[in-house]
Amino acid sequence: MTSLAPKPFTGTLLDPDSPGYDDARRVYNGSIDRRPAFIARCRTTEDVVSALDLARRHELAVAVRGGGHSIPGWSVIDGGLVVDLTEMKRITVDPVTRTAVVQPGVTWGKFDAAAQQHGLATPGGEISHTGIAGLTLGGGIGWLSRMHGLACDNLQAAELVTADGEVVRVDDTTDPDLMWGLRGGGGNFGVVTSFTYRMHPVGPVPGGAVFFPGDRAAEVLRLYRDLGAAAPRELSLVAVQMNAPPAPFVPDEVRGRSLAGVSAAWFGDADDGERVLAPLRTALGRPAIDLLGVLPYCILQQSVDASAPWGMRSHLKGDFLGELNDAAVDALADRAGERSHPMSHVLVRRLGGAIADVPADATAFAHRDAVHMTTIVGVWDAGADPAPETAWARATWAATRRVARGTYVNHLEDEGVARVREAYPAATFERLTALKTRLDPANVFRHNQNVPPSAR
Ligand SMILES: Cc1cc2nc3c(=O)[nH]c(=O)nc-3n(C[C@H](O)[C@H](O)[C@H](O)COP(=O)(O)OP(=O)(O)OC[C@H]3O[C@@H](n4cnc5c(N)ncnc54)[C@H](O)[C@@H]3O)c2cc1C
């Protein structure tokens, strides 16, 4: 620990000699191994101001860490200072106004649990250890999104520390332009120290998943596509290609085998749930694994945690798709079958519904007309060569490029400015650039999916 901070810093400042430094620099993606000069574990908004001041005075590059799930590891930096928010974990849910005020070190599992005590939830990530902060600022797509929009659509207000250390509270009246940017523009505009969300009543959820042998992937993808095309917004669907885990619910003869399935969640009237989900059980004959039922919302939100354990080494490719035509279905089915690691997987999520209700220019997240989102994850073990599964993920992604319609900023690796631009239509990127130039002209917050300010 060191006492370099000039203002009262109530958190913990770690340097490479501090106990706990190695744990503190670890992020979700186990392939990231960076050594910051300092990790400033903040407890308060004032600590964030102090940490940024320290970085400024020592000319250190800055990384900002919420849940640590950035796939390319933006939340840790070699030789710079990490503004680490993991100890800022307060959650206040108001069941009367149906709002929640949440600090940036909170993960979705903790937020969901606190909100469900009041029968409430807001759209969020599907792996319970993902941070609310990075996920919300980039958009935030989850089970509830067809029903209630993106996480960022439910962001009503925020507290933010700007690049020059000013603390501002923003909402749609105080600074509508900044609110627009916080809804999808990522961590480009400052360090958000508090998020205020709109909450929705959510009870037990009819849903789960069915799985078929992996060689039926094309049929399963068509079932997912056709069921989704006719479905009301209450139905959320994800097509999955993965290997069966050695879990108790998997019959012995299926464990380790390649599977193709559909995961589903129904947020409408419970009596309608069984009818709406029935085709998953009947359209392709009896599934090899049938996990449909009624799940408490928090269980739904943790149901795929085992597919993405903390420390997994992975490479992600993905895009938004306008359509999933037969050529794209066949290409995805063929390519996905060529994965070689048992944890590598391909997801295709149905979008639309409330996501598409929001006009494209109303938020920085602007790909509102996307119909599907692909998530292709190549995985490798510690010490293994990442090249084969990385190449597989890229080849599988390339197979659907023809029907791609932009990409999701939160699913980008470190792929350069051209790919960041794909996350935003040209007019959106221009407006983000103007906002960045106003708030962070020196590009202090550049260790991220960066929108550079205009050259001065
Ligand atoms: C296993 C896994 C599952 C995922 N599931 C989903 C999903 O279901 N839905 C979805 O939409 N996305 C999902 N994602 C992508 C996820 O949205 C991003 O990885 C997101 O960046 C994670 O946020 P975080 O706070 O955990 O990340 P961090 O690594 O802590 O932060 C990522 C970046 O966000 C910015 N940031 C973080 N906190 C702040 C802050 N307080 N103020 C300003 N900027 C900040 C910074 O630029 C930072 O570098 C998933 C990712 C993984 C690895």
Side-chain angles (χ1 to χ4, degrees):
M1 268 174 262
T2 172
S3 59
L4 264 177
K7 296 183 185 171
F9 182 76
T10 66
T12 313
L13 194 59
L14 303 172
D15 65 24
D17 296 326
S18 305
Y21 172 82
D22 278 327
D23 272 347
R25 70 187 180 86
R26 225 164 264 144
V27 289
Y28 164 80
N29 189 344
S31 71
I32 307 289
D33 180 18
R34 299 198 185 124
R35 303 185 66 81
F38 294 105
I39 300 171
R41 282 234 153 124
C42 302
R43 293 214 174 93
T44 64
T45 299
E46 190 53 40
D47 287 343
V48 174
V49 176
S50 297
L52 290 177
D53 184 67
L54 176 67
R56 194 178 310 115
R57 285 186 298 108
H58 293 268
E59 298 182 349
L60 294 167
V62 168
V64 180
R65 176 180 180 140
H69 263 232
S70 158
I71 295 147
W74 289 126
S75 32
V76 63
I77 185 167
D78 273 327
L81 181 143
V82 177
V83 179
D84 181 333
L85 306 162
T86 51
E87 288 187 3
M88 296 179 70
K89 289 188 186 299
R90 199 165 48 241
I91 304 168
T92 311
V93 181
D94 184 339
V96 177
T97 58
R98 288 189 181 161
T99 55
V101 181
V102 189
Q103 287 191 318
V106 171
T107 55
W108 283 101
K110 301 284 185 217
F111 183 17
D112 289 335
Q116 278 288 281
Q117 286 184 9
H118 305 280
L120 298 173
T122 203
E126 292 163 1
I127 300 284
S128 67
H129 43 83
T130 312
I132 60 127
L135 185 137
T136 301
L137 294 170
I141 300 167
W143 285 115
L144 276 171
S145 292
R146 278 172 53 80
M147 190 68 188
H148 295 301
L150 304 170
C152 72
D153 296 334
N154 291 279
L155 180 67
Q156 294 184 317
E159 181 186 77
L160 180 93
V161 181
T162 62
D164 55 10
E166 199 190 337
V167 180
V168 292
R169 275 205 59 80
V170 279
D171 59 27
D172 286 323
T173 48
T174 58
D175 193 339
D177 203 32
L178 178 52
M179 277 311 291
W180 172 90
L182 294 179
R183 295 183 176 123
N188 275 290
F189 308 111
V191 182
V192 178
T193 46
S194 165
F195 296 78
T196 303
Y197 294 95
R198 182 183 310 117
M199 306 300 291
H200 308 272
V202 175
V205 187
V210 291
F211 290 98
F212 299 87
D215 58 9
R216 300 188 67 189
E219 288 171 82
V220 173
L221 278 163
R222 286 188 178 88
L223 171 64
Y224 148 84
R225 177 189 66 189
D226 299 340
L227 190 60
R233 65 183 53 202
E234 287 88 346
L235 184 62
S236 220
L237 290 174
V238 181
V240 185
Q241 294 176 79
M242 58 178 274
N243 283 34
F249 57 81
V250 178
D252 283 350
E253 66 278 14
V254 180
R255 288 185 186 181
R257 292 268 185 86
S258 171
L259 296 176
V262 182
S263 298
W266 170 254
F267 295 102
D269 191 88
D271 293 340
D272 293 337
E274 207 168 315
R275 178 182 51 79
V276 172
L277 297 171
L280 294 174
R281 280 192 165 131
T282 56
L284 299 181
R286 195 153 160 245
I289 306 175
D290 182 342
L291 301 173
L292 293 178
V294 178
L295 296 88
Y297 180 71
C298 289
I299 298 295
L300 173 73
Q301 285 286 85
Q302 297 163 22
S303 59
V304 289
D305 278 8
S307 69
W310 186 271
M312 190 167 88
R313 290 155 178 78
S314 60
H315 183 80
L316 190 156
K317 292 294 286 185
D319 276 326
F320 293 128
L321 308 184
E323 58 171 336
L324 193 60
N325 57 23
D326 283 341
V329 162
D330 292 338
L332 264 184
D334 288 351
R335 286 292 184 176
E338 290 167 9
R339 65 194 184 274
S340 55
H341 193 281
M343 301 283 283
S344 294
H345 58 272
V346 176
L347 308 176
V348 188
R349 166 171 284 286
R350 182 100 199 167
L351 303 172
I355 302 170
D357 288 347
V358 178
D361 62 357
T363 61
F365 182 103
H367 289 303
R368 299 283 176 175
D369 57 353
V371 183
H372 306 275
M373 177 174 75
T374 54
T375 308
I376 300 155
V377 182
V379 176
W380 59 95
D381 294 323
D385 181 4
E389 287 302 83
T390 301
W392 165 79
R394 289 191 179 143
T396 307
W397 165 74
T400 56
R401 281 296 274 170
R402 210 172 267 184
V403 286
R405 185 180 290 179
T407 196
Y408 180 31
V409 74
N410 273 353
H411 279 179
L412 286 176
E413 294 280 353
D414 185 0
E415 298 175 56
V417 75
R419 279 288 276 166
V420 177
R421 290 190 85 120
E422 275 189 56
Y424 305 103
T428 304
F429 197 82
E430 212 173 289
R431 188 170 164 190
L432 284 168
T433 305
L435 185 62
K436 178 76 173 179
T437 309
R438 165 159 78 93
L439 282 152
D440 183 16
N443 209 2
V444 170
F445 303 112
R446 63 181 174 278
H447 192 68
N448 52 25
Q449 301 297 358
N450 196 231
V451 176
S454 302
R456 280 175 290 178

